[in-house]
Amino acid sequence: MTGPQVTVIGTGYVGLTSAACLAHLGRDVVAVDIDESKIERLWRGEIPILEYGLEALVLEGVESKKLSFTTSYESLTTADVILLCLPTPVQPDGDLNLRFVEGAIAQMREMLKPGSVVVTKSTVPVGSHHKISAWLDRDDVSVASNPEFLREGTAVSDFLNPDRVVVGASDQEAAALVASLYEGIEAPIQLTDTTSAELIKYAANTFLATKLSFVNELSRLCDAVGGDIEAVVEGVGSDNRIGSAFLRPGPGWGGSCFPKDTKGFAFLAETHGLSLPVAKASYDSNQAHFDHLVDQIVAYLNKPISEARLGVWGVTFKAGTDDLRDSPSVEVMNRLIARGATITAYDPAADHEMVPSEARMVSDAYSACAEADALLVLTEWDEFATADLEKVAQTMAGNKVFDARYMMRPEQASAAGLVITHPGKPTG
Ligand code: UGA
């Protein structure tokens, strides 16, 4: 039983992961993208993004003929479910631009077969289904929402082992058709109305971002009062009502989703004349955290920042991805450079050409430390936890390490002659 025929529009990380995972579940999937060279590469199993396990699933899907790639919209004439996985760029006011979605709907509206369902999968502003229905202008085609909760780096496993699947639709038949995509997955399926489904995505990301802003504020408070953030988080997180997940302090949060979605949440409230300050405060607190960290680093150095040479480990917004969008590391580096620092940085996955910073990029961790007065650890790549600290100490000019990702233990570092500081933890 293959289930519904699926066409996925857009082969970014959401579209490609969804297409490959649905093919793995036995669905017949056609993935469409306007970028011809990308489609050619995908046929060869070449994945344009770093996403663990995705290449194997794409190759499996192509081999089993469950997955195909094209630039043509032809498959829409037979598709039961159309998943929209298109970019929705954020505008300065926090609203998202739906021009790609509108363009795709214009191209597909006359091709869709009666009874099919057009589903928003990548994040769209709350209420988008009304616009999509109006653009479609088809009484015989439904519009539904099936938000993704995929983390970059673990998207394949998140898709195949979700905590829940949310389907928002206004008619039961459409909801059942969308839910049937997930046959073979063991997870509760929540059927709800379309607006609520769209809102669930925003609420989940805003809540998680708020949790992180809170824990980072807590780390600043620990510095002020002399507490230990790791101990505090352990004690707070073991309350089941709070939970220990997503409570790791760091250099601030980033990526392509949290900043966009917290702003989108605040924009939504404003457009409805509501004062709901939490989402905006969470965003502002994160920006303040970058500033705080930079002040802390500047104070930590034993020379003026304008004379300091800094090594940086980690540039992507988190480990496991090559994505640099709204990376906390880049935020911190750019602030330090604006204050006169000279930075040499290393990241195992980032494309050097794409790093939006004047930092000099090098291709191994130890070269980033060469002649550095201090080393900053800003992304939590595993290799930093197992680095040869003796070698780091020999390469550096100074001996200070500022580890914003809690990768190194002070005992290890001091044995190598390094002095280590973690935000929110007493030193020495
Ligand atoms: C996030 C959500 O986790 C996904 O559920 C959602 O589907 C996705 O956005 C999206 O909207 O598409 P992602 O952007 O891949 O996923 O990144 P996360 O793993 O959530 O991390 C976001 C940021 O928070 C990173 O900068 C990360 O380093 C930071 N973080 C995360 C912490 O500082 N501490 C933590 O404990 C967890």
Side-chain angles (χ1 to χ4, degrees):
M1 170 65 184
T2 57
Q5 302 267 321
V6 187
T7 293
V8 176
I9 310 286
T11 59
Y13 105 96
V14 174
L16 189 57
T17 305
S18 304
C21 289
L22 287 170
H24 177 71
L25 290 172
R27 314 290 97 89
D28 282 316
V29 185
V30 179
V32 181
D33 203 289
I34 50 167
D35 184 339
E36 266 179 47
S37 67
K38 192 174 184 187
I39 292 298
E40 276 170 27
R41 277 181 281 140
L42 287 171
W43 273 116
R44 294 196 294 269
E46 290 173 25
I47 309 297
I49 48 171
L50 180 67
E51 196 54 66
Y52 184 74
L54 189 53
E55 185 181 326
L57 283 196
V58 167
L59 289 168
E60 176 196 281
V62 168
E63 204 170 304
S64 66
K65 299 199 168 30
K66 290 280 170 199
L67 178 61
S68 62
F69 299 103
T70 176
T71 54
S72 150
Y73 270 32
E74 208 182 291
S75 64
L76 289 168
T77 55
T78 53
D80 301 300
V81 179
I82 299 91
L83 296 182
L84 297 177
C85 301
L86 291 161
T88 49
V90 68
Q91 303 179 151
D93 60 7
D95 199 8
L96 299 186
N97 191 317
L98 284 179
R99 65 179 189 274
F100 296 112
V101 174
E102 188 176 2
I105 298 290
Q107 282 194 63
M108 71 173 72
R109 63 174 292 277
E110 287 181 1
M111 306 178 78
L112 297 172
K113 82 171 188 191
S116 59
V117 191
V118 173
V119 184
T120 52
K121 185 115 191 97
S122 53
T123 308
V124 292
V126 175
S128 292
H129 62 284
H130 294 304
K131 287 187 181 168
I132 294 171
S133 295
W135 292 330
L136 269 176
D137 195 23
R138 291 265 310 252
D139 291 342
D140 56 349
V141 173
S142 303
V143 177
S145 163
N146 172 216
E148 55 82 18
F149 302 102
L150 311 176
R151 287 164 299 174
E152 289 185 28
T154 53
V156 168
S157 125
D158 288 350
F159 191 101
L160 296 173
N161 310 288
D163 291 336
R164 78 308 205 184
V165 172
V166 173
V167 178
S170 56
D171 66 280
Q172 282 185 355
E173 228 172 289
L177 192 55
V178 178
S180 71
L181 293 177
Y182 296 93
E183 255 169 49
I185 278 181
E186 273 184 44
I189 297 193
Q190 182 188 355
L191 302 182
T192 182
D193 64 277
T194 324
T195 303
S196 301
E198 289 170 340
L199 197 48
I200 285 168
K201 174 57 194 273
Y202 273 92
N205 272 4
T206 302
F207 188 85
L208 290 169
T210 304
K211 204 173 175 188
L212 294 179
S213 284
F214 181 80
V215 85
N216 287 334
E217 286 189 1
L218 203 53
S219 135
R220 284 179 248 160
L221 193 57
C222 281
D223 276 332
V225 300
D228 178 340
I229 186 63
E230 288 188 302
V232 175
V233 161
E234 189 184 336
V236 171
S238 32
D239 183 327
N240 277 331
R241 294 168 303 171
I242 298 171
S244 58
F246 246 76
L247 216 54
R248 199 181 60 241
W253 43 264
S256 66
C257 303
F258 282 2
K260 188 171 86 158
D261 291 354
T262 45
K263 277 188 182 167
F265 190 98
F267 177 82
L268 181 69
E270 271 168 36
T271 52
H272 288 267
L274 292 172
S275 167
L276 302 180
V278 170
K280 186 172 180 312
S282 164
Y283 180 87
D284 292 344
S285 168
N286 194 45
Q287 294 294 315
H289 193 64
F290 300 143
D291 293 333
H292 170 83
L293 224 61
V294 168
D295 286 342
Q296 230 181 346
I297 292 165
V298 170
Y300 180 55
L301 297 171
N302 48 10
K303 55 161 69 167
I305 183 74
S306 56
E307 291 166 24
R309 295 170 65 96
L310 304 175
V312 165
W313 279 1
V315 177
T316 53
F317 85 91
K318 63 174 183 179
T321 177
D322 53 1
D323 200 337
L324 292 158
R325 285 176 288 177
D326 278 318
S327 166
S329 169
V330 173
E331 293 281 350
V332 169
M333 288 198 302
N334 283 347
R335 280 165 171 76
L336 289 165
I337 290 169
R339 287 168 75 163
T342 302
I343 294 186
T344 305
Y346 163 72
D347 187 281
D351 177 348
H352 292 191
E353 302 296 315
M354 303 299 286
V355 175
S357 170
E358 284 167 27
R360 186 171 75 91
M361 295 297 300
V362 290
S363 53
D364 80 281
Y366 303 101
S367 302
C369 304
E371 298 306 314
D373 298 301
L375 171 65
L376 317 178
V377 183
L378 299 179
T379 308
E380 75 284 25
W381 290 102
D382 282 348
E383 68 176 77
F384 302 150
T386 52
D388 179 346
L389 296 183
E390 302 275 347
K391 194 166 166 188
V392 169
Q394 282 159 16
T395 318
M396 286 175 65
N399 65 349
K400 289 176 179 256
V401 180
F402 186 91
D403 177 9
R405 292 286 191 172
Y406 308 84
M407 302 292 292
M408 296 172 190
R409 301 326 302 170
E411 318 78 73
Q412 269 176 290
S414 60
L418 297 170
V419 178
I420 197 152
T421 285
H422 294 108
K425 282 176 85 71
T427 37

